[in-house]
Amino acid sequence: MGTFADSFRTAAGPHGVLTFERFMDLALYDPVCGYYRRERGRVGRAGADFYTASSIPLFGELMAEAGAELAGGLSKAAEYTFVELGVEPGGGVLRGISHPFKSLREFGAGTTPELAGPCVVFSNELFDAQPFRRFRKGPNEWCELGVKPSPIGWEWADLTVSNADFLPSDAPEGYSLDAPTGARQLAESIAAQPWTGLFIAADYGKSWEELAFGTAMGTARAYRQHRQTNDLLADPGEQDLTCHVCWDWIGDALKRHGFGPANVEAQEAFFVKHAGALLARLTAATSSGVDPRKRDIMQLLHPSLMGRKFQVMTAFRPP
């Protein structure tokens, strides 16, 4: 079996250097040693690397309720296939949950979905796991960060910038920008397919204004065994790599393919607005004292937990 170093050398060729975007693509999605290609427990509490809303069964119930409401109600929801992208092995937010949709389809991370007909296309923390480009502003101009081998592993390399007309010319020296280009490409590939209906993406992101002018240290990070680190080059294939998505870029990609205006809400506001009836029933039914369902509601909605950390983008394309 090949190693990550083997895959890197093949991709880099005689120059021996890759952009960080290409390095990340190998680290996460290489068929042999990519992080998301291995049969391993990535999501959950014990023995995993990170914990997401999809780990909480109530998340699926609320998403089914919200998706049906946004699709036009229960009767209209019965016309739609609920398609989940980026599903972990053994996962699926609607598995084992009563839902109003015509059928369910699931696609794992790194696979290309085939979409047609009326759909609700849903993903949770998929766009933030797409390869991104890293840039740093020098005294006079931007440089793109690449990766090359070092005697002890991997190290950064400065590369000449090309095909990056989005970079702000007035950024201060030392500004770091993590540009979620892979997320934009994924949105384009999803929107370009012949399906109609509702797009729902739950993730963490920012506007382009915030990324370009309000995050001087960038937003990139790595996760392993529930620990966040800034060492993005450590043990490629053994840790998750991520950055904030750009909601403006995703919304623009959807608009180019006939979707209506994209709406972004905090996860808390999204569920209160679109699954409020279910939340009211659950709240009324929970008992006093320690109640697992009440705890799950708190975890998903409280602003200091997942309620504000995550946002939900929705957009609709009519038939």
Side-chain angles (χ1 to χ4, degrees), residues 41-228:
R42 288 178 286 264
V43 180
R45 293 198 182 276
D49 290 325
F50 53 91
Y51 187 73
T52 76
S54 61
S55 306
I56 302 172
L58 179 59
F59 180 74
E61 295 180 47
L62 293 173
M63 193 56 68
E65 181 91 356
E69 191 264 346
L70 286 164
L74 294 178
S75 60
K76 291 293 293 183
E79 302 173 8
Y80 289 85
T81 297
F82 188 94
V83 182
E84 184 177 356
L85 308 180
V87 178
E88 285 287 306
V93 296
L94 298 193
R95 285 193 187 185
I97 291 175
S98 177
H99 64 82
F101 302 105
K102 179 181 178 180
S103 59
L104 302 179
R105 296 180 67 198
E106 298 174 352
F107 295 90
T111 60
T112 302
E114 296 179 358
L115 306 171
C119 295
V120 174
V121 177
F122 165 78
S123 65
N124 180 62
E125 291 197 67
L126 172 64
F127 285 90
D128 66 72
Q130 304 308 303
F132 55 90
R133 298 174 70 180
R134 305 206 76 199
F135 299 93
R136 182 174 57 218
K137 183 67 180 295
N140 301 308
E141 59 186 6
W142 288 93
C143 71
E144 181 161 7
L145 295 185
V147 182
K148 62 183 181 181
S150 79
I152 58 172
W154 309 95
E155 64 183 16
W156 297 106
D158 290 346
L159 304 176
T160 301
V161 173
S162 63
N163 300 318
D165 56 3
F166 49 79
L167 291 171
S169 60
D170 54 347
E173 181 180 351
Y175 196 97
S176 294
L177 176 60
D178 296 312
T181 46
R184 179 170 59 182
Q185 293 165 6
L186 176 61
E188 289 276 0
S189 68
I190 292 170
Q193 298 199 47
W195 64 280
T196 59
L198 181 64
F199 172 91
I200 307 177
D203 229 307
Y204 49 86
K206 296 180 180 294
S207 68
W208 174 247
E209 185 80 10
E210 291 173 310
L211 291 174
F213 301 103
T215 56
M217 301 301 293
T219 66
R221 50 203 181 274
Y223 287 95
R224 187 175 184 181
Q225 297 178 355
H226 295 280
R227 293 183 179 179
Q228 177 182 321

